[in-house]
Amino acid sequence: FTVTDSLGCEILVEGTHECPCSTDAGSMSSQLLENCAETGNSVMAEVPVNVNLEPGDIGYFYLHDQPGTTIGNIIESNNTGIFSFQPPMIAGETYYISYVVGQDQNGIPDLTNPCTDISPGQPIIFYPKPDFDIQLASQTCGLSGEIVATNAINADTLFFSADNPDMVNFVINSDTSAQIEVQSPGVYTINVHAQSLFCDTIIIEEI
């Protein structure tokens, strides 16, 4: 462009100047979010700090599968930071929630804009539920019988209970088996609980 002073002198100024982007998605917490991979369970990302929005910017949370500032495969996005376990997520795998700031494009940040900024994601894990099989005779003579849990996976502890505990006593044989003792003949409902840190699975059997 041409610059003219008060005396009419002119000078031609040429060149380019790139204005730096001040958009900043801030910093997410590095604290691991954990829950059980069960319908209805969710986690909530912590609010990022030191966020800076330029005019026209919008912020959005993204659930994805890559660490750092790379979005990777997007599983879901929203403006709340609350996400539940859903396909195609795999129980036990680590995923990430990132806050993304960029120019508003129909209610979400424009991911193609060079000024769009992505915060390193907060890690999350949804753990698999315990699984196991039960060996228990549906009928037995006398007032006792054995119950055994087999093929247990993802289970930290197993314990036994009954719907009518005043009539049923469990004598623990091992971490996975117990002797059932009842006070009188009849039909009894037995519950076998398998627990991990965030998950609980119950199998109900009758004897």
Side-chain angles (χ1 to χ4, degrees):
F1 59 93
T2 302
V3 177
T4 305
D5 65 14
S6 59
L7 299 177
C9 298
E10 295 183 347
I11 185 172
L12 180 64
V13 179
E14 294 181 313
T16 60
H17 177 71
E18 182 177 344
C19 295
C21 300
S22 61
T23 295
D24 194 334
S27 300
M28 301 285 296
S29 171
S30 60
Q31 178 68 42
L32 177 65
L33 300 173
E34 301 168 286
N35 210 330
C36 183
E38 189 171 20
T39 302
N41 286 351
S42 62
V43 297
M44 182 175 183
E46 296 184 25
V47 177
V49 297
N50 301 321
V51 175
N52 185 68
L53 277 69
E54 290 185 342
D57 279 350
I58 189 173
Y60 226 62
F61 291 96
Y62 285 79
L63 173 63
H64 60 97
D65 62 359
Q66 292 295 318
T69 58
T70 301
I71 281 289
N73 296 305
I74 298 172
I75 299 167
E76 187 184 1
S77 61
N78 59 43
N79 60 4
T80 66
I82 301 173
F83 296 97
S84 60
F85 183 76
Q86 58 191 287
M89 299 174 71
I90 299 173
E93 296 289 327
T94 303
Y95 296 89
Y96 302 87
I97 301 174
S98 289
Y99 194 61
V100 179
V101 172
Q103 287 289 293
D104 187 345
Q105 185 182 57
N106 300 319
I108 61 174
D110 180 2
L111 297 180
T112 65
N113 190 301
C115 283
T116 295
D117 193 50
I118 303 169
S119 66
Q122 183 170 9
I124 69 171
I125 297 177
F126 287 95
Y127 293 101
K129 294 190 65 176
D131 190 22
F132 59 98
D133 298 319
I134 291 297
Q135 293 180 357
L136 175 66
S138 60
Q139 299 182 28
T140 184
C141 295
L143 300 178
S144 66
E146 185 180 37
I147 186 169
V148 180
T150 61
N151 304 319
I153 57 174
N154 303 314
D156 297 330
T157 58
L158 287 165
F159 65 94
F160 308 92
S161 66
D163 284 1
N164 43 356
D166 294 340
M167 299 289 292
V168 180
N169 181 52
F170 294 95
V171 178
I172 303 302
N173 297 330
S174 68
D175 291 341
T176 58
S177 67
Q179 196 73 14
I180 304 170
E181 298 178 348
V182 300
Q183 295 183 16
S184 62
V187 178
Y188 295 88
T189 301
I190 307 300
N191 308 305
V192 185
H193 305 252
Q195 291 184 326
S196 61
L197 185 59
F198 293 93
C199 300
D200 185 11
T201 297
I202 302 175
I203 293 182
I204 301 173
E205 296 282 350
E206 284 190 345
I207 183 173

